[in-house]
């Protein structure tokens, strides 16, 4: 992973000192709320419903064990002993004291971390596939380019006050696991006909109030020009994006208003001034950064391991965990392990300081001291030997990190919702917990099979509900909390936006609603057909009919 050089460290240290003085002046009454607000947002600090929230950057989801230990110590010392991994692969602290936040940032700087540009109308954390560098279906490891883009976008003076926040995702695999189509810019790496690295560029994707999947603006971009091309895209957006209406300020609205051809024309016109200039990435620069992402010192191992096979054969619980939580690796004898942060009855994505220390220890002992966070809000050990999987499982299970529900109904993506967020219209976490309790039978979950359920507490869609096979959106109706349900959403190469099945539901009804959706699926599915496949084949009508059947109630909220 990327390591700071003296300039990187100096920049982060200077930012900490700057923010410390800004916070001191605010607490002393020398800065007003209005003056302090953009300063704290530049450093990832929100004021939430009950307390401040600090969002800590984890570039493209990659963490060193020492960094996770520092996060664990910070949550113990300055928060309530836990953190929350978000859908942008970052970590959020929900209960820090305002006066402590400069000290938190100072501690983060000692392990090459910060909270810069995790908030505000700027280029946010660049996200990628959690299996980047080790996935068998990977064509190109995008992390070196992602790091170069991170350095380009950090403190970019022209893009510090965009019309709205701006999100970029990169992917270099056959199967997209970074939702590139749902981002302001999505970058899809591939090998062209000359066996050279090239990039397909998507623009204008995004969820939120107006969910739109992106459109391809350029099928083939030479990798050397990715910075200048992205700069041209963002410049056009910066000039023409709406600043008079926050709901229409994202690039997706501009692309839709102009049309992709006119938007592309303007981008190409702007790019003509930038192409082949200082933003061109040289081979030397790519090589310099790529060395930080060279393959780990893998051993030469056989593709099979007798002790692993024996453990699978004699331990059904271990076999079940392997089926759901262990993913293929491109190097023989190794696997990737997803540690579930979705134990039943707990808030999805939450992890205690004690658990963070366990994961850091596991990373040191079994995965070269590194780990990843996923946009599905789980943690990954990317480089585990087959022969070590049983030991990893035992230690993870003892720490509550081995629930075998990865990819199943209770592997819920969920934002913090109304329990914390001041923007939320309704609570998300209690709905997730209620659904987990409804489906607490692991055998039944495995019978249901692969299914994605996403929950957002408001239209900002931090829980990505639009692309969930089942999506749940909290809405405010006359001061009370209701929940709108969509089905048919999907991430990946064939991404889709879900369709609303009908009027919204009360919190108490939500577990039963999901149960009814599953009942239709089990009744109607073909052999080996996933929930999303059944929805696409049948449409929403039979699901809607079953959910709303025999309801004799007062009129519902639309």
């Amino acid at each position: 992973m990327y390591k700071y050089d003296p300039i990187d460290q100096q920049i982060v240290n200077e930012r900490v000192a700057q923010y410390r003085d800004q916070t001191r002046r605010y607490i002393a009454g020398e800065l007003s709320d209005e003056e302090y607000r953009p300063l704290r947002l530049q450093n990832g600090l929100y004021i939430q419903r009950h307390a401040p929230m600090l969002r800590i950057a984890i570039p493209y989801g990659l963490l060193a064990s020492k960094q996770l230990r520092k996060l664990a110590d910070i949550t113990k010392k300055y928060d309530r002993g836990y953190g929350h991994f978000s859908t942008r692969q970052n970590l959020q602290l929900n209960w820090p004291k305002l006066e402590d936040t400069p000290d938190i940032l100072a501690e983060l700087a000692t392990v090459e971390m910060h909270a810069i540009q995790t908030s505000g109308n700027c280029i946010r954390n660049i996200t990628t596939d959690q299996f980047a560098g080790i996935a068998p279906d990977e064509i190109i490891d995008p992390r070196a380019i992602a790091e170069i883009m991170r350095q380009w976008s950090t403190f970019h003076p022209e893009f510090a006050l965009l019309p709205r926040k701006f999100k970029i995702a990169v992917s270099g695999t056959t199967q997209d696991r970074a939702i590139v189509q749902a981002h302001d810019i999505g970058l899809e790496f591939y090998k062209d006909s000359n066996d050279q690295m090239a990039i397909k560029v998507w623009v204008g994707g995004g969820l939120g109030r107006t969910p739109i999947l992106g459109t391809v603006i350029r099928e083939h971009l030479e990798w050397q020009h990715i910075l200048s091309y992205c700069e041209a895209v963002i410049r056009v957006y910066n000039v023409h994006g709406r600043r008079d209406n926050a709901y229409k300020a994202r690039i997706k609205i501009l692309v839709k208003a102009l049309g992709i051809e006119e938007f592309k024309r303007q981008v190409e016109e702007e790019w003509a001034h930038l192409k082949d200039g200082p933003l061109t990435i040289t081979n030397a620069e790519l090589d310099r950064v790529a060395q930080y992402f060279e393959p780990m010192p893998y051993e030469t191992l056989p593709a099979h391991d007798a002790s692993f096979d024996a453990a699978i054969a004699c331990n059904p619980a271990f076999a079940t965990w392997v089926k759901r939580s262990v993913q293929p690796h491109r190097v023989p004898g190794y696997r990737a392990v997803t540690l579930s942060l979705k134990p039943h009855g707990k808030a999805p994505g939450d992890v205690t300081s004690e658990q963070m220390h366990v994961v850091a220890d596991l990373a040191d002992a079994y995965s070269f001291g590194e780990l990843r966070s996923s946009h599905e809000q789980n943690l990954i050990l990317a480089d585990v030997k087959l022969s070590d999987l049983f030991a990893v499982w035992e230690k993870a299970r003892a720490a509550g990190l081995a629930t075998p529900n990865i990819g199943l109904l209770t592997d819920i993506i969920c934002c913090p919702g109304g329990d914390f967020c001041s923007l939320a219209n309704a609570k998300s976490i209690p709905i997730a917990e209620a659904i987990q309790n409804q489906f607490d039978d692991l055998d039944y979950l495995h019978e249901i099979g692969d299914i994605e359920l996403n929950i957002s507490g408001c239209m900002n869609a931090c829980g990505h509900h639009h692309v969930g096979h089942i999506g749940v959106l909290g809405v405010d109706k006359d001061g009370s909390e209701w929940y709108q349900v969509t089905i048919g959403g999907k991430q990946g190469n064939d991404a889709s936006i879900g369709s609303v099945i009908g009027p919204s539901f009360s919190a108490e009804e939500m577990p039963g609603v999901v149960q009814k959706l599953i009942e239709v699926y089990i009744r109607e599915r073909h052999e080996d057909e996933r929930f999303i496949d059944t929805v696409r084949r049948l449409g929403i009508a039979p699901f809607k009919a079953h959910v709303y059947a025999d309801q004799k109630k007062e009129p519902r909220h639309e």
Side-chain angles (χ1 to χ4, degrees):
M1 61 186 294
Y2 181 74
K3 306 293 183 184
Y4 281 12
D5 62 22
I7 295 175
D8 294 318
Q9 193 66 57
Q10 180 182 346
I11 289 172
V12 172
N13 290 344
E14 288 176 352
R15 170 51 76 90
V16 172
Q18 180 188 58
Y19 173 72
R20 186 183 295 280
D21 187 59
Q22 292 164 345
T23 302
R24 178 196 62 76
R25 286 187 286 151
Y26 172 69
I27 292 173
E30 299 171 16
L31 292 176
S32 66
D33 285 341
E34 185 176 353
E35 291 170 324
Y36 183 63
R37 183 175 183 273
L39 303 177
R40 63 172 170 79
L41 288 176
Q42 290 171 5
N43 293 282
L45 186 67
Y46 290 77
I47 301 301
Q48 298 282 63
R49 191 177 297 272
H50 305 295
M53 183 273 280
L54 183 66
R55 182 179 294 141
I56 298 165
I58 303 176
Y60 34 86
L62 194 57
L63 273 169
S65 57
K66 70 174 183 179
Q67 292 175 325
L68 187 61
R69 285 194 182 88
K70 175 58 70 175
L71 293 174
D73 293 342
I74 285 172
T75 60
K76 191 80 167 181
K77 182 177 180 180
Y78 298 106
D79 206 282
R80 296 188 176 179
Y82 74 97
H84 173 78
F85 281 96
S86 76
T87 51
R88 292 211 63 74
Q89 300 179 296
N90 294 320
L91 183 81
Q92 296 181 176
L93 305 182
N94 289 319
W95 300 98
K97 295 178 181 177
L98 173 64
E99 59 269 26
D100 288 338
T101 53
D103 291 333
I104 295 173
L105 296 184
E107 292 210 28
L108 289 172
T110 67
V111 291
E112 303 179 4
M113 298 188 76
H114 59 73
I116 297 164
Q117 290 181 210
T118 59
S119 175
N121 296 335
C122 58
I123 299 173
R124 299 288 187 87
N125 185 42
I126 295 169
T127 56
T128 189
D129 177 8
Q130 62 266 32
F131 303 118
I134 61 99
D137 69 331
E138 185 168 78
I139 303 166
I140 292 169
D141 184 346
R143 292 175 298 170
I145 296 288
E147 173 57 30
I148 292 172
M149 295 187 71
R150 183 194 70 80
Q151 295 182 28
W152 156 76
S153 62
T154 302
F155 294 124
H156 196 305
E158 189 176 341
F159 303 145
L161 193 61
L162 295 169
R164 279 290 273 129
K165 57 189 176 182
F166 202 90
K167 299 177 179 180
I168 300 173
V170 300
S171 174
T173 51
T174 302
Q175 296 298 316
D176 170 35
R177 288 180 288 271
I179 333 182
V180 295
Q181 295 180 51
H183 283 75
D184 299 289
I185 293 178
L187 304 174
E188 190 175 332
F189 292 70
Y190 67 97
K191 289 284 184 72
D192 65 15
S193 57
N194 296 317
D195 200 36
Q196 297 297 308
M197 177 166 63
I199 304 169
K200 179 189 289 188
V201 183
W202 300 75
V203 297
L207 304 179
R209 186 173 296 271
T210 308
I212 298 175
L213 294 178
T215 304
V216 176
I217 189 174
R218 194 173 186 88
E219 288 282 354
H220 182 279
L221 177 69
E222 295 173 324
W223 63 266
Q224 295 91 338
H225 301 302
I226 187 59
L227 297 185
S228 59
Y229 196 81
C230 285
E231 185 129 333
V233 170
I234 302 173
R235 276 190 174 182
V236 172
Y237 167 57
N238 202 19
V239 170
H240 298 296
R242 297 279 296 269
R243 284 184 161 86
D244 61 330
N245 187 330
Y247 301 124
K248 297 182 179 181
R250 298 293 293 271
I251 192 175
K252 60 188 177 183
I253 303 300
L254 177 63
V255 172
K256 186 176 181 180
L258 292 178
I260 188 61
E261 292 305 321
E262 172 60 18
F263 184 80
K264 180 177 181 178
R265 185 194 68 77
Q266 294 194 28
V267 169
E268 293 288 330
E269 185 177 275
E270 182 63 37
W271 190 40
H273 301 292
L274 300 171
K275 186 180 180 182
D276 298 321
L279 289 174
T280 305
I281 304 172
T282 64
N283 283 293
E285 176 62 6
L286 180 61
D287 290 344
R288 182 189 73 83
V289 177
Q291 68 178 328
Y292 295 104
F293 303 97
E294 290 180 348
M296 294 297 186
Y298 299 115
E299 298 177 25
T300 301
L301 300 173
H304 301 280
D305 179 80
S307 64
F308 170 74
D309 293 340
I312 288 285
C314 69
N315 194 317
F318 175 62
T320 298
W321 177 77
V322 168
K323 180 180 178 181
R324 300 312 315 186
S325 302
V326 175
Q327 287 76 34
H329 198 290
R330 67 189 314 162
V331 177
Y334 287 86
R335 296 291 187 272
V337 171
T338 300
L339 301 172
S340 175
L341 301 186
K342 318 288 180 63
H344 293 192
K346 301 292 184 181
D350 281 5
V351 57
T352 67
S353 57
E354 291 80 9
Q355 287 176 320
M356 284 189 250
H357 276 292
V358 169
V359 176
D361 291 342
L362 289 172
D364 279 340
Y366 302 108
S367 193
F368 302 110
E370 288 187 7
L371 62 139
R372 292 103 178 276
S373 59
S374 69
H375 77 263
E376 290 94 351
Q377 301 174 286
N378 292 310
L379 295 177
I380 291 88
L381 302 173
D383 301 295
V384 180
K385 295 179 187 177
L386 268 174
S387 58
D388 288 334
L389 283 173
F390 188 77
V392 169
W393 172 66
E394 287 189 311
K395 294 175 182 178
R397 184 175 61 163
L401 295 164
T403 305
N405 63 346
I406 301 302
L408 299 179
L409 183 61
T410 57
D411 185 15
I412 298 170
I413 292 176
C414 181
C415 73
D419 284 304
F420 299 99
C421 182
S422 57
L423 300 176
N425 295 317
K427 293 180 179 179
S428 301
I429 295 172
I431 303 303
E433 292 175 345
I435 293 170
Q436 289 170 338
N437 290 333
Q438 177 80 13
F439 295 89
D440 200 32
D441 185 338
L442 282 170
D443 290 335
Y444 184 42
L445 285 175
H446 284 82
E447 180 188 347
I448 296 169
D450 292 340
I451 187 169
E452 298 169 7
L453 193 155
N454 299 16
I455 306 175
S456 298
C458 76
M459 287 301 297
N460 284 315
C462 293
H464 297 174
H465 66 278
H466 296 294
V467 291
H469 298 170
I470 299 173
V472 179
L473 168 65
V475 293
D476 176 24
K477 301 294 184 180
D478 302 323
S480 59
E481 297 181 2
W482 291 75
Y483 296 88
Q484 185 184 81
V485 175
T486 58
I487 61 173
K490 188 180 182 298
Q491 58 177 306
N493 301 49
D494 57 342
S496 57
I497 302 295
S499 300
V500 178
I501 65 170
S504 53
F505 304 91
S506 67
E508 293 74 19
E509 293 175 296
M510 279 309 305
V513 169
V514 175
Q515 179 71 62
K516 289 183 177 180
L517 292 172
I518 298 303
E519 289 170 0
V520 175
Y521 163 58
I522 291 177
R523 184 182 70 220
E524 301 290 343
R525 67 183 175 183
H526 292 170
E527 187 177 359
D528 296 328
E529 191 175 50
R530 299 168 303 167
F531 179 89
I532 182 62
D533 301 322
T534 303
V535 172
R536 287 179 168 179
R537 177 170 56 83
L538 297 178
I540 69 170
F543 294 91
K544 179 176 181 178
H546 187 56
V547 168
Y548 293 102
D550 301 323
Q551 291 187 349
K552 298 178 181 179
K553 296 187 175 185
E554 296 180 3
R556 289 178 170 273
H557 293 74
E558 292 292 346

